[in-house]
């Protein structure tokens, strides 16, 4: 079966990683799957024209019901959609977008939500058949490069400190866009750093929103204890995460944060902002720590520094949680089965 797979494909983002992983599952089942960036297309008519080209596509898949799913509204082949997170958390607040997403779900053969909570939100805000929406958590695979030089990484990020091995690096992994709120912790963290110079916040991720990127660069330049690291490959990023004291999430909304799950898999403690998408995977004081304000972040970070038993517990439980609930094997079987339903359409 020949499939078209549309997704927002900004490099080195969670969507890109997820799309590549799902494509590999589909192709390992013997299908041909062409992954294309939804940003390449202006209208559903363009995608319909592509699908009809010889040899034609026999089915389609999309990550993000609005950004990519709307482009499938004119195709005459069966398709499925995968909720991204911002579609359910943010786009439903816009009535025009909400109506379009309802149309997509009505036409879709199936939809996939990463969590029960996202499925409930979809049923609440969009007119969607419950039986159409399947819950499949993201599968997690981590691999670490052995080639990372930690000292060079820190130096390239602007960290100048002789006591490299004593530093407590808090790593905020996020693409630079508003929904990730990369500056949320900066001011309070800097104040905390001034009381203990070994506590460092490093922000790392692709520069997606150019206006916000300029703002982040300017703020970081004038703020002590906070640094912006150059982008890394997935292998390098996992190696950096493994060397950190904790991985941080400060997003306004999330579907399911790949960085949080990868940190758990790498046995790194997680400090995540208390929003529904994060609370669905981080159980406070069990698999990680949640915070609701920058001040509470500092409080929870101090607990992680002083309470070794707490640190060991969340690391151990986080690893077990990912192993149990985020198996790539289970994820693979789900997508192969669902894509099979397109084939039998």
């Amino acid at each position: 079966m020949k499939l078209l797979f549309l997704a927002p494909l900004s490099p080195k983002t969670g969507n890109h990683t997820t799309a590549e992983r799902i494509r590999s599952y589909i192709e390992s089942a013997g299908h041909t799957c062409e992954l294309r960036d939804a940003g390449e297309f202006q209208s559903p008519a363009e995608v319909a024209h592509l699908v009809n080209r010889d040899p034609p596509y026999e089915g389609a898949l999309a990550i993000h019901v609005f950004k990519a799913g709307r482009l499938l509204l004119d195709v005459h082949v069966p398709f499925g959609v995968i909720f991204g997170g911002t579609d359910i958390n943010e786009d439903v607040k816009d009535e025009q977008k909400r109506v379009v997403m309802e149309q997509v779900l009505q036409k879709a053969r199936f939809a996939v939500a990463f969590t029960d909570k996202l499925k409930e939100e979809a049923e609440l805000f969009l007119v969607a058949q419950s039986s159409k929406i399947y819950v499949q958590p993201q599968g997690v695979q981590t691999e670490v490069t052995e080639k990372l030089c930690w000292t060079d990484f820190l130096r390239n990020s602007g960290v100048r400190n002789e006591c490299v091995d004593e530093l407590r690096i808090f790593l905020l992994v996020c693409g630079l866009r508003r929904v990730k709120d990369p500056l949320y912790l900066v001011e309070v963290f800097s104040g905390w750093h001034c009381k203990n110079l070994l506590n460092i916040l490093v922000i790392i991720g692709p520069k997606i929103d150019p206006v916000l990127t300029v703002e982040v660069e300017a703020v970081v330049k004038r703020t002590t204890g906070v640094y912006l690291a150059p982008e890394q490959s997935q292998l390098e990023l996992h190696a950096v995460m493994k060397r950190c004291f904790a991985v941080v999430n400060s997003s306004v909304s999330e579907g399911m944060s790949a960085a949080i799950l990868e940190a758990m898999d790498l046995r790194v403690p997680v400090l995540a902002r208390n929003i529904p998408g994060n609370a669905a995977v981080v159980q406070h004081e069990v698999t990680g720590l949640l915070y609701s304000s920058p001040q509470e972040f500092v409080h929870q970070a101090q607990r992680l520094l002083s309470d070794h038993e707490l640190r060991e517990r969340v690391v151990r439980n986080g690893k077990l949680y990912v192993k149990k609930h985020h198996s790539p094997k289970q994820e693979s079987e789900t997508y192969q089965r669902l894509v099979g339903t397109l084939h039998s359409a």
Side-chain angles (χ1 to χ4, degrees), residues 5 41 49 98 156 176 182 188 206 215 219 234 298 301 316 319:
F5 190 2
F41 304 98
H49 178 70
R98 195 187 65 76
N156 291 336
L176 299 187
V188 168
E215 189 183 330
V219 170
Q234 190 78 348
V298 170
R316 182 175 64 249
K319 177 69 175 178

Side-chain angles (χ1 to χ4, degrees), residues 56-303:
Y57 291 88
E58 300 158 272
L61 194 60
I63 293 180
H64 201 289
V65 178
F66 182 74
K67 284 181 185 170
R70 68 185 175 87
L71 294 168
L72 297 176
L73 282 171
D74 289 355
V75 302
H76 296 295
V77 295
F79 67 85
V81 292
I82 301 161
F83 291 107
T86 50
D87 40 13
I88 285 298
N89 294 326
E90 303 297 325
D91 291 341
V92 290
K93 298 169 188 172
D94 181 315
E95 183 58 20
Q96 283 182 305
K97 289 181 180 180
R98 195 187 65 76
V99 169
V100 171
M101 290 195 288
E102 281 187 351
Q103 292 170 351
V104 172
L105 288 174
Q106 281 164 11
K107 281 198 74 174
R109 178 58 54 93
F110 64 80
V112 179
F114 296 142
T115 64
D116 291 316
K117 180 74 176 166
L118 272 181
K119 177 178 177 175
E120 287 167 19
E121 297 279 309
E123 290 165 356
L124 182 64
F125 293 113
L126 300 165
V127 177
Q129 291 169 260
S130 179
S131 59
K132 241 187 208 186
I133 305 176
Y134 298 81
V135 176
Q136 175 55 57
Q138 294 207 65
V140 178
Q141 294 168 304
T142 56
E143 196 179 341
V144 173
T145 179
E146 302 299 322
K147 295 176 182 173
L148 178 82
C149 176
W150 184 234
T151 308
D152 285 351
F153 167 75
L154 291 175
R155 192 182 299 116
N156 291 336
S157 304
V159 180
R160 303 276 185 268
N161 194 305
E162 299 304 312
C163 317
V164 167
D165 292 331
E166 293 174 37
L167 295 176
R168 272 92 58 140
I169 304 293
F170 291 81
L171 190 72
L172 174 55
V173 182
C174 68
L176 299 187
R177 53 194 183 113
R178 299 284 172 191
V179 75
K180 300 296 182 182
D181 208 359
L183 295 175
Y184 181 63
L185 298 171
V186 165
E187 188 181 335
V188 168
F189 193 101
S190 182
W192 185 43
H193 162 80
C194 291
K195 295 172 187 169
N196 189 327
L197 300 178
L198 296 177
N199 299 331
I200 300 285
L201 178 65
V202 175
I203 303 168
I204 187 167
K207 298 172 179 179
I208 298 170
D209 178 336
V211 176
L212 180 62
T213 297
V214 170
E215 189 183 330
V216 170
E217 287 171 343
V219 170
V220 165
K221 190 175 278 189
R222 64 172 185 261
T223 307
T224 56
V226 181
Y227 301 87
L228 185 60
E231 272 186 72
Q232 306 288 315
S233 70
Q234 190 78 348
L235 289 176
E236 291 164 335
L237 177 61
H238 287 165
V240 169
M241 289 166 77
K242 202 166 174 61
R243 287 295 305 263
C244 286
F245 180 77
V247 165
V248 178
N249 176 291
S250 62
S251 298
V252 174
S253 77
E254 286 282 1
M256 179 173 282
S257 165
I260 286 177
L261 297 173
E262 288 161 0
M264 288 179 177
D265 194 50
L266 292 164
R267 301 178 191 272
V268 180
V270 170
L271 278 158
R273 192 167 175 176
N274 193 359
I275 55 171
N278 289 344
V281 293
V282 179
Q283 190 180 346
H284 186 57
E285 298 181 345
V286 178
T287 56
L289 296 174
L290 296 169
Y291 64 90
S292 299
S293 68
Q295 292 74 18
E296 193 184 352
F297 166 84
V298 170
H299 172 67
Q300 299 298 348
Q302 285 172 326
R303 290 182 67 202

